[in-house]
Amino acid sequence: MFKSVELTVSGKTIRGTIMTPAGDGPFPTICFYHGFSVDRVGIDRLHFLFSKRCVEEGFACVRFDFYGCGESDGDFREKRISFELEQTLAIYDWTIQQSFADSERMFMVGHSLGGILSSMAAPLRQPRAIALWSPGLTAYYDISNRIHAVPSRYKEVYSVGGLLLSSEFLTELRAIDIIEKSTGFRNKVLIVHGELDEKVPVYVTGPYMDLYGEQAALKIVDGANHQYSDWSWKQQVYDASIDFLKAQL
């Protein structure tokens, strides 16, 4: 099944896609969360192709565009980490109530900014397991560097790839202790990272591995960049993620 859906979070509409295997289910289900300035399809279809692979392997996969991204309502300048965390939780809560979803076998997978959102949401919902692709622990620094933002001298808005970003996003993101907010998740974690990630350096795996300890498995994709933009890199990410998720069933 391929179905487009809408969800209202705090009075604001976000839009997404459900993909499920044939049959009535319920199926083990993945909530997938995209990164900073992309959407639920992903650059070079990174997220869509993963969803397709999930369905082939017997999982349902739910992907939404965050508010102000993709096909969802809103403007990119309205983007806030706090609201995206609220959306992350709302998407999970909505999904777990659907007839196709096995409430005992729910997973979160996130890429980049979606990775840190997944890690912060996980202690609050305790899914069966989570997979973090290139989690954006250094997102504040990467984004600030791209737009040459100077704390205490922020402009009201900045242009990022043709979109307008509010300085309030930067102020909020800078104040968040992501690792502290990710503390308390009790289940298994997979961390996947590109060796030559140009946006989120591979060293961010260290604080996460320190946090999760024996709960975590680590996969470094040799030579890979942030978007896993080579076919072989994608397949390594997908293979590692599917093998990990299947092992939790």
Side-chain angles (χ1 to χ4, degrees):
M1 179 184 73
F2 185 102
K3 182 179 180 180
S4 296
V5 291
E6 293 186 350
L7 177 62
T8 300
V9 183
S10 294
K12 298 179 177 180
T13 300
I14 58 175
R15 297 183 174 87
T17 302
I18 301 167
M19 295 174 66
T20 67
D24 296 329
F27 307 103
T29 299
I30 297 161
C31 292
F32 187 94
Y33 302 101
H34 70 76
F36 171 64
S37 60
V38 293
D39 57 30
R40 68 185 188 269
V41 175
I43 294 175
D44 300 326
R45 307 179 90 197
L46 177 66
H47 311 150
F48 168 75
L49 293 175
F50 176 64
S51 295
K52 189 176 178 182
R53 175 72 182 277
C54 290
V55 171
E56 292 169 357
E57 299 287 348
F59 292 83
C61 189
V62 174
R63 294 170 290 121
F64 274 84
D65 294 330
F66 286 119
Y67 192 74
C69 298
E71 295 183 321
S72 290
D73 282 358
D75 189 281
F76 194 74
R77 75 182 75 192
E78 299 176 82
K79 186 180 185 71
R80 302 289 185 276
I81 286 292
S82 56
F83 186 40
E84 290 198 348
L85 181 57
E86 183 182 354
Q87 292 169 69
T88 299
L89 295 168
I91 291 164
Y92 185 89
D93 293 344
W94 176 86
T95 302
I96 203 171
Q97 296 173 13
Q98 304 308 304
S99 60
F100 63 80
D102 183 342
S103 62
E104 297 299 317
R105 297 187 294 174
M106 293 287 298
F107 303 92
M108 292 180 177
V109 179
H111 179 223
S112 195
L113 201 67
I116 65 172
L117 290 164
S118 297
S119 74
M120 292 191 291
L124 303 175
R125 293 297 183 270
Q126 299 295 334
R128 189 71 164 261
I130 62 174
L132 312 178
W133 299 358
S134 309
L137 199 58
T138 57
Y140 168 78
Y141 302 101
D142 170 62
I143 297 165
S144 295
N145 182 60
R146 280 193 263 170
I147 59 181
H148 309 293
V150 180
S152 79
R153 296 175 56 190
Y154 285 143
K155 300 176 184 177
E156 182 178 351
V157 294
Y158 293 89
S159 177
V160 181
L163 300 170
L164 292 179
L165 177 73
S166 171
S167 61
E168 292 182 28
F169 173 85
L170 294 173
T171 299
E172 185 183 53
L173 180 57
R174 185 173 184 233
I176 294 174
D177 186 334
I178 296 165
I179 292 296
E180 191 278 329
K181 286 188 175 295
S182 300
T183 300
F185 181 58
R186 298 188 293 270
N187 300 322
K188 296 292 185 179
V189 180
L190 173 67
I191 300 169
V192 181
H193 216 101
E195 177 192 21
L196 302 181
D197 191 319
E198 75 286 5
K199 294 188 179 298
V200 181
V202 70
Y203 65 70
V204 306
T205 58
Y208 272 115
M209 294 302 290
D210 290 343
L211 170 65
Y212 294 123
E214 294 183 356
Q215 293 171 247
L218 176 64
K219 167 67 176 178
I220 302 298
V221 181
D222 292 344
N225 61 8
H226 189 64
Q227 296 294 342
Y228 303 99
S229 56
D230 182 271
W231 178 257
S232 67
W233 297 338
K234 281 185 173 66
Q235 301 318 303
Q236 290 181 63
V237 175
Y238 300 164
D239 288 347
S241 299
I242 293 295
D243 288 348
F244 167 76
L245 295 170
K246 280 187 167 182
Q248 313 313 314
L249 297 177

